[in-house]
Amino acid sequence: MPEIETLTITAPYLPVACALGEGPFYEEDTDVLRFVDIIRKEVHSVSLAAGPASHKVVVLEDSVGITADIDGRTDEYIVAAKYGFATLRRDTGELTYVKKVYEDEPEMAERMRFNDGAVDSRGRFWAGSMNDFHVKNLQAEGCVFRLDPDMTLHRMIEDVSIPNGMGWSPDDKTMYFTDSPSRGIYAYDYDSPTGALSNRRVFFQLAADEPGVLDGCTIDTDGNLWTAVHEGSRILKLSPQGEVLAHVTMPAWKITCPAFGGRDLDIIFVTTAGVDDGEETPEGSGHHGAVFQIKAGAKGARSNKFGAF
């Protein structure tokens, strides 16, 4: 087994207090980091050149779980929102749905929302749905959908309860998918030309005596996977073989999602969630809902853009 490195982050990069910070995304064209607060229905942005003082917030009509740039568009980007896939105008926050996923099931449409996702190398937008916050007794009613650039919709992974981090190996032959309640990350053989998945297997399983569940993830150019441990105050760096290479701890409890950013794509930005009133949290984890940065000694790949439509 490789020796496990440790790194401790002591202060946030952006001391906001999101209710549920998620979906960090680096805009290479503008050198801007954006992320969402799912509960408060907000999109946040900060210019990395200008620093935290440039932080801005746009309030939305519906919750948004994940965002992605659109090939050839600068005035808007695509998101996975409450009812499905929508475009979002940068200046106003106006949402325009382009594909609602439960149009013929109004009861399901109200029960569900979108959580996490990513765009693959062929410009297809993958995103997972789950029960909305008002639904009691979480059910495995969610699905990972794939929206192709021609606007066809495909159900790829069924019967999930909390779909989380997704990504692809550098050779584009493996897709990873995080199923939070199982505390595991699964690997699939991935056929890039068709987007087909096969041969599901366990890539990594959090040990029974370790706190938390696995949440969002990002992958570096060496094929290492960096995964958030929600209610675990840390990020784990995993090798392509699923071995733990590093622990990165930070002073927040509910770590939600990492993403590479910066001009050299060598900084990992990490979103976190807030805590409920009266909720007991570990000592020293007071920066709930803040955004952190990790100078990880690794580089991320450029984010894929959703194909023009």
Side-chain angles (χ1 to χ4, degrees), residues 129-143:
S129 66
M130 63 176 289
N131 287 154
D132 208 342
F133 299 104
H134 66 272
V135 178
K136 297 180 180 179
N137 301 320
L138 187 72
Q139 303 292 317
E141 299 179 310
C143 176

Side-chain angles (χ1 to χ4, degrees), residues 5-23:
E5 299 179 11
T6 59
L7 177 66
T8 300
I9 307 299
T10 59
Y13 166 73
L14 190 65
V16 291
C18 290
L20 180 50
E22 271 283 10

Side-chain angles (χ1 to χ4, degrees), residues 87-127:
T87 57
L88 189 154
R89 286 195 58 87
R90 293 178 184 274
D91 52 355
T92 65
E94 179 184 2
L95 287 170
T96 302
Y97 282 94
V98 296
K99 183 67 70 170
K100 291 186 175 181
V101 300
Y102 297 110
E103 280 191 295
D104 299 328
E105 304 173 85
E107 182 179 345
M108 282 292 289
E110 292 306 319
R111 287 178 61 83
M112 309 303 285
R113 68 170 176 87
F114 273 82
N115 196 47
D116 205 347
V119 175
D120 69 17
S121 62
R122 300 299 180 103
R124 297 173 288 230
F125 194 3
W126 300 64

Side-chain angles (χ1 to χ4, degrees), residues 8-306:
T8 300
I9 307 299
T10 59
Y13 166 73
L14 190 65
V16 291
C18 290
L20 180 50
E22 271 283 10
F25 184 94
Y26 176 64
E27 301 177 5
E28 283 193 81
D29 296 340
T30 61
D31 194 29
V32 165
L33 174 74
R34 67 175 186 249
F35 57 97
V36 302
D37 186 329
I38 299 178
I39 290 177
R40 293 184 179 142
K41 303 177 183 179
E42 298 171 342
V43 173
H44 296 241
S45 62
V46 57
S47 165
L48 298 188
S54 66
H55 175 233
K56 297 179 181 178
V57 182
V58 175
V59 180
L60 310 176
E61 180 180 355
D62 292 332
S63 66
V64 164
I66 194 73
T67 75
D69 282 349
I70 303 172
D71 186 29
R73 305 276 186 95
T74 57
D75 58 338
E76 61 186 2
Y77 47 87
I78 193 165
V79 303
K82 161 67 177 173
Y83 298 108
F85 298 90
T87 57
L88 189 154
R89 286 195 58 87
R90 293 178 184 274
D91 52 355
T92 65
E94 179 184 2
L95 287 170
T96 302
Y97 282 94
V98 296
K99 183 67 70 170
K100 291 186 175 181
V101 300
Y102 297 110
E103 280 191 295
D104 299 328
E105 304 173 85
E107 182 179 345
M108 282 292 289
E110 292 306 319
R111 287 178 61 83
M112 309 303 285
R113 68 170 176 87
F114 273 82
N115 196 47
D116 205 347
V119 175
D120 69 17
S121 62
R122 300 299 180 103
R124 297 173 288 230
F125 194 3
W126 300 64
S129 66
M130 63 176 289
N131 287 154
D132 208 342
F133 299 104
H134 66 272
V135 178
K136 297 180 180 179
N137 301 320
L138 187 72
Q139 303 292 317
E141 299 179 310
C143 176
V144 175
F145 292 90
R146 192 191 80 209
L147 181 68
D148 290 1
D150 64 2
M151 303 309 292
T152 55
L153 189 68
H154 306 267
R155 289 175 172 261
M156 301 304 298
I157 305 173
E158 300 268 17
D159 303 323
V160 297
S161 53
I162 305 180
N164 256 308
M166 304 176 205
W168 292 266
S169 59
D171 64 7
D172 221 17
K173 294 181 178 180
T174 304
M175 178 176 167
Y176 301 98
F177 166 66
T178 305
D179 177 55
S180 290
S182 74
R183 309 176 84 234
I185 299 173
Y186 296 88
Y188 296 81
D189 291 344
Y190 175 68
D191 184 66
S192 178
T194 65
L197 301 177
S198 61
N199 189 28
R200 174 181 167 119
R201 66 267 188 196
V202 176
F203 167 72
F204 176 77
Q205 187 77 43
L206 201 61
D209 60 350
E210 290 191 68
V213 298
L214 302 177
D215 206 315
C217 70
T218 190
I219 299 170
D220 65 30
T221 53
D222 294 321
N224 300 308
L225 191 147
W226 302 72
T227 181
V229 185
H230 188 86
E231 297 186 358
S233 301
R234 65 196 187 281
I235 296 283
L236 297 179
K237 178 185 178 182
L238 307 174
S239 74
Q241 293 74 41
E243 300 171 315
V244 178
L245 300 179
H247 286 171
V248 184
T249 61
M250 53 199 67
W253 187 39
K254 297 180 178 179
I255 314 301
T256 57
C257 193
F260 279 94
R263 287 298 188 192
D264 294 323
L265 294 173
D266 60 352
I267 300 173
I268 298 178
F269 292 93
V270 182
T271 51
T272 66
V275 298
D276 298 330
D277 291 340
E279 194 169 10
E280 293 186 11
T281 60
E283 184 178 352
S285 62
H287 294 285
H288 307 297
V291 176
F292 296 84
Q293 63 175 358
I294 304 168
K295 296 180 180 179
K299 288 193 175 185
R302 288 183 168 85
S303 296
N304 298 315
K305 297 184 178 182
F306 181 69

